[in-house]
């Protein structure tokens, strides 16, 4: 029995922007003081995290001189090596600066698009210097309010050209990045391009180097769209495209809440953890969430501990689920198999003919109870801790 205390072997990561969130929202000023990057590294290491991820400007202010940049990066690298944390993922802030108010790679202004490429290349240099192998593209401002602007088709073309350029840049520098597109349906734009995991997967197939691109699905983002996150993750896994994952929680169809993992939809969180663990996903488990605005610094670390603890408890629940004889019996009942029909369902002209001639008892198929009420209650009992 474990006490659910994480270790680096659990591969938990946080963004500098997550535990560093100061509680600012569109209606209110910060409620917490900023924390320095080296201090965040120290605290996360003490809590048992594996790594820390960042946007370029989480670490280096956008207007820093070259000398300031080098000093800040050196201090950060020192903290990483002092505390044994790694940087598995890096990304670019292409949403805060007013230059990106109408998008970065999909701005209708060629100057903005070119600046976005420049900023991203520099940020990729920084990520590579810190050892990152995954590079995330969250297109926060890549969208519209006014579709009369007429850029729907061109925007996708500009986006594609930019991603193709940046993949070539990575390869030419020998960075070996794998790129992960992070979909979101809206906020901060009224509509964001590539709004769901399915959209991103479809788009990847149109890129020059699709093998370098996958997705970074976020629990909150699919849930905002009214979708089932585990279904989206399953599709990404099925496509071999789950390059990274953003774990958090969210009440359906509301603004992006980035709640502590498992705090709102426990069963959805369980389904997700079981899916990730059963699938053998071995990438980082990144919490893209932040403490509530009501919290002080102690609340921030309680939040971070809670994210990891909930994941580990649900991982143990998934193990119990797979080992529980009653649950396994219910599953066996539900998954009716038939070797003869399985063989017949592999296409040959003979099998097709035989299948067409076969008689099925349609009424019996429709009348068969599947036992899902029973299975679901067993699952609840397991999660309640009484099995
Ligand atoms: C921003 C956003 C997240 C993205 C981050 C990566 S930044 O906080 O809300 O979902 O993952 O750019
Ligand atoms: Mn979010
Ligand atoms: Mn995210």
């Amino acid at each position: 029995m474990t006490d659910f205390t994480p270790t680096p072997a659990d591969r938990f990561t946080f963004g500098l922007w997550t535990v560093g969130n100061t509680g600012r929202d569109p209606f209110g000023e910060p409620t917490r003081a900023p924390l320095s990057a080296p201090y965040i590294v120290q605290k996360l290491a003490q809590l048992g995290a594996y790594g820390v991820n960042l946007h370029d400007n989480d670490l280096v202010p956008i207007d820093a001189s070259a000398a300031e940049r080098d000093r800040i990066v050196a201090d950060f690298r020192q903290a990483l090596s002092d505390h044994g944390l790694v940087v598995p993922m890096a990304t670019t802030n292409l949403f805060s600066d007013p230059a990106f108010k109408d998008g970065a790679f999909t701005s209708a202004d060629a100057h903005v698009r070119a600046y976005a490429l420049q900023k991203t290349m520099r940020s990729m240099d920084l990520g590579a210097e810190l050892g990152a192998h995954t590079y995330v593209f969250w297109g926060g401002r890549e969208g519209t309010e006014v579709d009369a602007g007429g850029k729907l088709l061109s925007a996708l073309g500009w986006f594609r050209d930019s991603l193709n350029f940046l993949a070539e840049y990575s390869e030419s520098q020998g960075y070996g990045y794998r790129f992960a597109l992070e979909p979101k349906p809206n906020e901060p734009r009224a509509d964001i391009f590539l709004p769901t995991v399915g959209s991103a997967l479809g788009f990847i197939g149109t890129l020059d180097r699709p093998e370098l691109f996958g997705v970074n699905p976020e629990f909150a983002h699919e849930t905002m769209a009214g979708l089932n996150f585990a279904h989206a993750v399953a599709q990404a896994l099925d496509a071999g495209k789950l390059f990274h994952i953003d774990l958090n929680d969210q009440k359906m169809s509301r603004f992006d809440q980035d709640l502590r993992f498992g705090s709102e939809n426990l069963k959805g969180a369980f389904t997700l953890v079981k899916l990730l663990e059963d699938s053998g996903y071995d990438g980082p488990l990144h919490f893209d969430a932040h403490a509530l605005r009501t919290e002080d610094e102690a609340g921030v670390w309680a939040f971070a501990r809670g994210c990891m603890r909930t994941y580990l408890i649900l991982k143990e629940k998934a193990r119990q689920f797979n080992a529980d004889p009653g649950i396994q019996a219910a599953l066996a009942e539900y998954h009716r198999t038939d070797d003869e029909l399985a063989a017949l369902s592999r296409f040959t002209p003979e099998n097709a003919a035989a299948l067409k001639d076969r008689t099925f008892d349609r009424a019996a198929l429709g009348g068969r109870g599947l036992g899902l009420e029973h299975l679901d209650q067993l699952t609840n009992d397991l999660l309640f801790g009484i099995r």
Side-chain angles (χ1 to χ4, degrees):
M1 194 62 191
T2 152
D3 65 356
F4 305 114
T5 303
T7 71
D10 294 310
R11 314 185 318 277
F12 292 133
T13 64
F14 290 83
L16 283 180
W17 71 95
T18 64
V19 287
N21 180 289
T22 56
R24 190 204 316 274
D25 74 11
F27 302 96
E29 299 303 329
T31 60
R32 294 185 285 268
L35 304 174
S36 78
Y39 178 69
I40 289 175
V41 167
Q42 176 195 335
K43 293 296 288 186
L44 287 177
Q46 282 167 4
L47 294 182
Y50 162 68
V52 62
N53 301 320
L54 70 160
H55 301 86
D56 47 357
N57 304 135
D58 296 341
L59 185 64
V60 182
I62 195 166
D63 50 6
S65 68
E68 282 164 347
R69 178 221 186 259
D70 291 347
R71 181 186 51 75
I72 292 167
V73 174
D75 288 351
F76 185 63
R77 292 183 68 165
Q78 187 63 48
L80 292 169
S81 97
D82 286 350
H83 301 289
L85 238 57
V86 296
V87 176
M89 178 272 261
T91 183
T92 329
N93 186 326
L94 295 173
F95 43 89
S96 294
D97 194 86
F100 300 120
K101 62 193 172 191
D102 190 32
F105 304 133
T106 65
S107 167
D109 183 336
H111 292 250
V112 175
R113 296 199 298 274
Y115 173 53
L117 285 179
Q118 180 198 71
K119 189 171 194 293
T120 304
M121 284 191 287
R122 291 179 177 174
S123 177
M124 286 166 63
D125 298 345
L126 172 65
E129 188 177 340
L130 296 170
H133 294 296
T134 302
Y135 204 87
V136 163
F137 289 106
W138 173 61
R141 298 276 175 199
E142 314 290 8
T144 62
E145 287 77 33
V146 179
D147 286 337
K151 68 172 179 180
L152 295 192
L153 279 177
S154 14
L156 292 171
W158 294 326
F159 211 161
R160 178 179 304 111
D161 291 346
S162 298
L163 295 177
N164 286 338
F165 179 102
L166 293 165
E168 287 305 331
Y169 177 69
S170 169
E171 295 294 289
S172 72
Q173 296 295 114
Y175 289 160
Y177 278 123
R178 299 208 310 163
F179 299 98
L181 307 185
E182 180 178 343
K184 188 175 184 183
N186 58 274
E187 192 194 1
R189 302 310 297 270
D191 288 286
I192 296 180
F193 300 127
L194 308 181
T196 64
V197 168
S199 323
L201 289 173
F203 190 68
I204 287 170
T206 73
L207 299 174
D208 289 347
R209 302 285 304 271
E211 74 281 5
L212 297 179
F213 287 83
V215 289
N216 177 37
E218 176 172 315
F219 199 119
H221 297 176
E222 298 298 299
T223 308
M224 287 169 70
L227 300 175
N228 179 319
F229 186 59
H231 286 226
V233 171
Q235 193 184 351
L237 284 166
D238 178 68
K241 291 296 189 187
L242 189 69
F243 282 14
H244 198 261
I245 191 162
D246 278 5
L247 302 171
N248 56 17
D249 212 340
Q250 171 78 26
K251 295 185 195 234
M252 192 168 271
S253 304
R254 301 193 183 174
F255 67 94
D256 189 17
Q257 296 170 316
D258 291 335
L259 299 170
R260 189 180 81 258
F261 181 62
S263 62
E264 171 63 21
N265 182 352
L266 254 191
K267 202 178 210 170
F270 168 70
T271 306
L272 175 69
V273 170
K274 183 166 158 24
L275 179 69
L276 290 173
E277 296 299 322
D278 289 350
S279 76
Y281 170 76
D282 62 1
L285 296 163
H286 173 68
F287 296 105
D288 186 13
H290 52 78
L292 300 171
R293 190 165 180 271
T294 51
E295 302 307 292
D296 59 7
E297 190 190 323
V300 170
W301 306 121
F303 147 84
R305 267 195 305 272
C307 285
M308 297 187 282
R309 180 175 171 80
T310 296
Y311 190 99
L312 291 177
I313 293 170
L314 293 176
K315 181 175 170 181
E316 168 60 14
K317 293 288 178 188
R319 192 198 61 74
Q320 289 173 15
F321 184 101
N322 290 339
D324 185 305
I327 289 176
Q328 292 309 309
L331 281 171
E333 191 67 23
Y334 177 49
H335 291 256
R336 178 153 63 133
T337 58
D338 187 303
D339 291 344
E340 187 203 348
L341 290 179
L344 219 48
S345 300
R346 279 190 285 277
F347 183 83
T348 62
E350 298 72 30
N351 282 349
L355 201 50
K356 277 171 91 175
D357 283 346
R358 180 103 177 186
T359 305
F360 288 96
D361 185 346
R362 192 162 48 81
L365 291 177
R368 176 176 165 252
L370 304 186
L372 290 174
E373 290 285 7
H374 174 60
L375 173 64
D376 193 54
Q377 187 60 39
L378 293 179
T379 307
N380 279 359
D381 286 359
L382 186 91
L383 294 177
F384 294 148
I386 60 166
R387 269 189 84 72

